[in-house]
Amino acid sequence: MTFNDILKESWLSVSGNKMRSFLTVLGIVIGVMAVVIMVAVGETVQKQITDQFSSLGTGTVIIRAGAAQSAGVRSGNRMTLTIDDAEYIAKLPDVAAISPVQMSGAQVIYGNKNWSTSMVGVYPGYTDVQNIEMDKGTFFDQIAVRNASTHAIIGPNIAKELELPADPIGQTVRIQNTPFTIIGITKAKGESAMGSQDDLIFIPITTLKKRLQGSRFPNSVSMITLKLYADADNTIVINQISTILRDRHKLKDSDADDFQIQDMKQIMDTMNTVTGYLKLLLIAIAAVSLLVGAIGIMNMMLVSVAERTREIGVRKAIGARESQIIIQFLSESILISFIGSMAGLFFGIGLSQGVGRLWMGYNVPFSVWPVILSVSVAVIVGLASGVMPALKAAKLNPIDSLRYE
């Protein structure tokens, strides 16, 4: 028999009992569809996390004041970092940009409008570290930091909430009863790994510490952020920073660090590993339905062998070899699996793309893996579930088969 003859014979056999074949195919459809959707969910989550951290860049390093938690208890949250620490770290050759950071809540007033937000005291280098772009105006310079000037850069969300003019440059707002002149507005950036930057006010860190907070320790800061050059070795630089800070803070060898260093590259690699395991778990759970579908095909083929015992006897009586009987039943099993796999692939991609983009507003990445998976399932499941029935059919005694009613 030619390939076309085998395919035609298989189709006639499968379509001979439409309801049974439909229910069997449906099991494979559901299984493949579940796997495709789970792959899409896993890759979407992984992409969202990667995009969040990529907005900062893998060369971003964050140094936080205070020791790390030990046995569930934070051993200290003292303001152990200073502006001088940042200035010293900036001398490292691999540091492209750096900024000490101090955050505080703020009530912003413009006319009869007011808005509760957060203000961030920084250096001009913060724009490079956090990839901040200006929509209008400019960011303040180092002279403004040195003079503790009352210049402010606002996020687009604040401009919207305060109903500022289309060009807010030069407008005066009051922050903690202190008048500030708006010199710039940032481009909309949305959420990132560090939160939304569209609802922040950026001011010189010296202004925040001296004018607004009146701190007794104007040199202390809660955080230092820095960006490394692209060719820098993060591990080496982090070790250098740790050595510098321990030396400046006069820590003994037996003393724990009074700071925490977070490497965005390491964090992103860890998150990718975690989401990778999550994706595998989702696929494994969905694969259970594929196993059920394979059992359905095997059950259908065993029933088909029992129903066609006499037909098998006739084929063998007129010279059909065992290999031809095996090929015939395997082809039927693979055909059922192939139809179910392709339908499951189609519905799985359609549902994941439709729900992700239209309902949840996510750009669901398309992967070639579901296609490879579907073709593999069509062959493997078809063969695995058809081998036993095919062997059973091939081993039937033609004399007994011809007597079968």
PDB file of all heavy atoms in Angstrom, residues 38-55:
ATOM      1  N   MET A  38      -0.256  27.316  28.805  1.00  0.00           N
ATOM      2  CA  MET A  38       0.669  27.385  29.938  1.00  0.00           C
ATOM      3  C   MET A  38       2.035  27.902  29.511  1.00  0.00           C
ATOM      4  O   MET A  38       2.679  28.654  30.236  1.00  0.00           O
ATOM      5  CB  MET A  38       0.802  26.011  30.597  1.00  0.00           C
ATOM      6  CG  MET A  38      -0.425  25.529  31.343  1.00  0.00           C
ATOM      7  SD  MET A  38      -0.950  26.636  32.681  1.00  0.00           S
ATOM      8  CE  MET A  38      -2.325  27.492  31.900  1.00  0.00           C
ATOM      9  N   VAL A  39       2.493  27.480  28.321  1.00  0.00           N
ATOM     10  CA  VAL A  39       3.759  28.009  27.796  1.00  0.00           C
ATOM     11  C   VAL A  39       3.657  29.520  27.591  1.00  0.00           C
ATOM     12  O   VAL A  39       4.560  30.277  27.957  1.00  0.00           O
ATOM     13  CB  VAL A  39       4.136  27.313  26.469  1.00  0.00           C
ATOM     14  CG1 VAL A  39       5.308  28.038  25.803  1.00  0.00           C
ATOM     15  CG2 VAL A  39       4.506  25.861  26.712  1.00  0.00           C
ATOM     16  N   ALA A  40       2.526  29.964  27.035  1.00  0.00           N
ATOM     17  CA  ALA A  40       2.313  31.398  26.796  1.00  0.00           C
ATOM     18  C   ALA A  40       2.273  32.174  28.108  1.00  0.00           C
ATOM     19  O   ALA A  40       2.856  33.261  28.218  1.00  0.00           O
ATOM     20  CB  ALA A  40       1.024  31.615  26.011  1.00  0.00           C
ATOM     21  N   VAL A  41       1.597  31.616  29.111  1.00  0.00           N
ATOM     22  CA  VAL A  41       1.526  32.276  30.425  1.00  0.00           C
ATOM     23  C   VAL A  41       2.921  32.401  31.034  1.00  0.00           C
ATOM     24  O   VAL A  41       3.317  33.469  31.519  1.00  0.00           O
ATOM     25  CB  VAL A  41       0.595  31.498  31.377  1.00  0.00           C
ATOM     26  CG1 VAL A  41       0.721  32.028  32.804  1.00  0.00           C
ATOM     27  CG2 VAL A  41      -0.845  31.606  30.920  1.00  0.00           C
ATOM     28  N   GLY A  42       3.672  31.297  31.007  1.00  0.00           N
ATOM     29  CA  GLY A  42       5.019  31.317  31.570  1.00  0.00           C
ATOM     30  C   GLY A  42       5.930  32.316  30.871  1.00  0.00           C
ATOM     31  O   GLY A  42       6.663  33.069  31.519  1.00  0.00           O
ATOM     32  N   GLU A  43       5.881  32.357  29.546  1.00  0.00           N
ATOM     33  CA  GLU A  43       6.750  33.268  28.805  1.00  0.00           C
ATOM     34  C   GLU A  43       6.314  34.722  28.980  1.00  0.00           C
ATOM     35  O   GLU A  43       7.146  35.626  28.976  1.00  0.00           O
ATOM     36  CB  GLU A  43       6.761  32.886  27.329  1.00  0.00           C
ATOM     37  CG  GLU A  43       7.459  31.553  27.063  1.00  0.00           C
ATOM     38  CD  GLU A  43       7.678  31.291  25.591  1.00  0.00           C
ATOM     39  OE1 GLU A  43       7.066  32.012  24.779  1.00  0.00           O
ATOM     40  OE2 GLU A  43       8.456  30.379  25.263  1.00  0.00           O
ATOM     41  N   THR A  44       4.994  34.937  29.125  1.00  0.00           N
ATOM     42  CA  THR A  44       4.515  36.302  29.352  1.00  0.00           C
ATOM     43  C   THR A  44       4.994  36.827  30.695  1.00  0.00           C
ATOM     44  O   THR A  44       5.466  37.962  30.808  1.00  0.00           O
ATOM     45  CB  THR A  44       2.975  36.355  29.295  1.00  0.00           C
ATOM     46  OG1 THR A  44       2.529  35.905  28.007  1.00  0.00           O
ATOM     47  CG2 THR A  44       2.471  37.775  29.514  1.00  0.00           C
ATOM     48  N   VAL A  45       4.868  35.998  31.729  1.00  0.00           N
ATOM     49  CA  VAL A  45       5.343  36.388  33.062  1.00  0.00           C
ATOM     50  C   VAL A  45       6.848  36.654  33.031  1.00  0.00           C
ATOM     51  O   VAL A  45       7.332  37.651  33.581  1.00  0.00           O
ATOM     52  CB  VAL A  45       5.011  35.295  34.103  1.00  0.00           C
ATOM     53  CG1 VAL A  45       5.694  35.597  35.435  1.00  0.00           C
ATOM     54  CG2 VAL A  45       3.507  35.176  34.298  1.00  0.00           C
ATOM     55  N   GLN A  46       7.585  35.771  32.364  1.00  0.00           N
ATOM     56  CA  GLN A  46       9.031  35.937  32.272  1.00  0.00           C
ATOM     57  C   GLN A  46       9.389  37.217  31.535  1.00  0.00           C
ATOM     58  O   GLN A  46      10.307  37.952  31.942  1.00  0.00           O
ATOM     59  CB  GLN A  46       9.638  34.729  31.562  1.00  0.00           C
ATOM     60  CG  GLN A  46      11.151  34.639  31.675  1.00  0.00           C
ATOM     61  CD  GLN A  46      11.679  33.315  31.151  1.00  0.00           C
ATOM     62  OE1 GLN A  46      11.203  32.801  30.146  1.00  0.00           O
ATOM     63  NE2 GLN A  46      12.662  32.749  31.826  1.00  0.00           N
ATOM     64  N   LYS A  47       8.655  37.529  30.468  1.00  0.00           N
ATOM     65  CA  LYS A  47       8.926  38.745  29.694  1.00  0.00           C
ATOM     66  C   LYS A  47       8.610  39.999  30.506  1.00  0.00           C
ATOM     67  O   LYS A  47       9.340  40.985  30.462  1.00  0.00           O
ATOM     68  CB  LYS A  47       8.113  38.739  28.399  1.00  0.00           C
ATOM     69  CG  LYS A  47       8.388  39.936  27.490  1.00  0.00           C
ATOM     70  CD  LYS A  47       7.614  39.823  26.197  1.00  0.00           C
ATOM     71  CE  LYS A  47       7.948  40.990  25.263  1.00  0.00           C
ATOM     72  NZ  LYS A  47       7.581  42.297  25.835  1.00  0.00           N
ATOM     73  N   GLN A  48       7.483  39.964  31.244  1.00  0.00           N
ATOM     74  CA  GLN A  48       7.109  41.116  32.059  1.00  0.00           C
ATOM     75  C   GLN A  48       8.187  41.413  33.098  1.00  0.00           C
ATOM     76  O   GLN A  48       8.571  42.570  33.295  1.00  0.00           O
ATOM     77  CB  GLN A  48       5.773  40.843  32.760  1.00  0.00           C
ATOM     78  CG  GLN A  48       4.565  40.784  31.827  1.00  0.00           C
ATOM     79  CD  GLN A  48       4.206  42.137  31.237  1.00  0.00           C
ATOM     80  OE1 GLN A  48       4.332  43.159  31.897  1.00  0.00           O
ATOM     81  NE2 GLN A  48       3.762  42.152  29.998  1.00  0.00           N
ATOM     82  N   ILE A  49       8.671  40.366  33.765  1.00  0.00           N
ATOM     83  CA  ILE A  49       9.700  40.556  34.789  1.00  0.00           C
ATOM     84  C   ILE A  49      10.995  41.055  34.161  1.00  0.00           C
ATOM     85  O   ILE A  49      11.639  41.979  34.669  1.00  0.00           O
ATOM     86  CB  ILE A  49       9.931  39.244  35.558  1.00  0.00           C
ATOM     87  CG1 ILE A  49       8.685  38.886  36.382  1.00  0.00           C
ATOM     88  CG2 ILE A  49      11.151  39.357  36.470  1.00  0.00           C
ATOM     89  CD1 ILE A  49       8.776  37.545  37.068  1.00  0.00           C
ATOM     90  N   THR A  50      11.370  40.455  33.031  1.00  0.00           N
ATOM     91  CA  THR A  50      12.601  40.862  32.357  1.00  0.00           C
ATOM     92  C   THR A  50      12.523  42.311  31.910  1.00  0.00           C
ATOM     93  O   THR A  50      13.485  43.077  32.060  1.00  0.00           O
ATOM     94  CB  THR A  50      12.867  39.951  31.142  1.00  0.00           C
ATOM     95  OG1 THR A  50      12.982  38.595  31.588  1.00  0.00           O
ATOM     96  CG2 THR A  50      14.156  40.362  30.442  1.00  0.00           C
ATOM     97  N   ASP A  51      11.363  42.718  31.363  1.00  0.00           N
ATOM     98  CA  ASP A  51      11.194  44.105  30.918  1.00  0.00           C
ATOM     99  C   ASP A  51      11.289  45.083  32.073  1.00  0.00           C
ATOM    100  O   ASP A  51      11.819  46.191  31.926  1.00  0.00           O
ATOM    101  CB  ASP A  51       9.852  44.272  30.201  1.00  0.00           C
ATOM    102  CG  ASP A  51       9.832  43.584  28.840  1.00  0.00           C
ATOM    103  OD1 ASP A  51      10.919  43.208  28.359  1.00  0.00           O
ATOM    104  OD2 ASP A  51       8.740  43.408  28.276  1.00  0.00           O
ATOM    105  N   GLN A  52      10.723  44.694  33.233  1.00  0.00           N
ATOM    106  CA  GLN A  52      10.771  45.568  34.401  1.00  0.00           C
ATOM    107  C   GLN A  52      12.222  45.841  34.808  1.00  0.00           C
ATOM    108  O   GLN A  52      12.601  46.987  35.061  1.00  0.00           O
ATOM    109  CB  GLN A  52      10.032  44.922  35.579  1.00  0.00           C
ATOM    110  CG  GLN A  52       8.529  44.807  35.392  1.00  0.00           C
ATOM    111  CD  GLN A  52       7.828  46.160  35.410  1.00  0.00           C
ATOM    112  OE1 GLN A  52       8.119  47.007  36.232  1.00  0.00           O
ATOM    113  NE2 GLN A  52       6.914  46.351  34.499  1.00  0.00           N
ATOM    114  N   PHE A  53      13.042  44.798  34.860  1.00  0.00           N
ATOM    115  CA  PHE A  53      14.421  44.979  35.276  1.00  0.00           C
ATOM    116  C   PHE A  53      15.279  45.542  34.151  1.00  0.00           C
ATOM    117  O   PHE A  53      16.254  46.247  34.407  1.00  0.00           O
ATOM    118  CB  PHE A  53      15.006  43.649  35.764  1.00  0.00           C
ATOM    119  CG  PHE A  53      14.537  43.260  37.136  1.00  0.00           C
ATOM    120  CD1 PHE A  53      13.491  42.365  37.304  1.00  0.00           C
ATOM    121  CD2 PHE A  53      15.128  43.797  38.263  1.00  0.00           C
ATOM    122  CE1 PHE A  53      13.049  42.010  38.563  1.00  0.00           C
ATOM    123  CE2 PHE A  53      14.694  43.451  39.528  1.00  0.00           C
ATOM    124  CZ  PHE A  53      13.657  42.552  39.692  1.00  0.00           C
ATOM    125  N   SER A  54      14.907  45.239  32.904  1.00  0.00           N
ATOM    126  CA  SER A  54      15.683  45.759  31.776  1.00  0.00           C
ATOM    127  C   SER A  54      15.572  47.275  31.674  1.00  0.00           C
ATOM    128  O   SER A  54      16.455  47.932  31.119  1.00  0.00           O
ATOM    129  CB  SER A  54      15.216  45.110  30.473  1.00  0.00           C
ATOM    130  OG  SER A  54      15.501  43.736  30.474  1.00  0.00           O
ATOM    131  N   SER A  55      14.456  47.839  32.182  1.00  0.00           N
ATOM    132  CA  SER A  55      14.293  49.293  32.140  1.00  0.00           C
ATOM    133  C   SER A  55      15.372  49.984  32.979  1.00  0.00           C
ATOM    134  O   SER A  55      15.707  51.146  32.757  1.00  0.00           O
ATOM    135  CB  SER A  55      12.912  49.683  32.672  1.00  0.00           C
ATOM    136  OG  SER A  55      12.764  49.331  34.036  1.00  0.00           O
TER     137      SER A  55
END
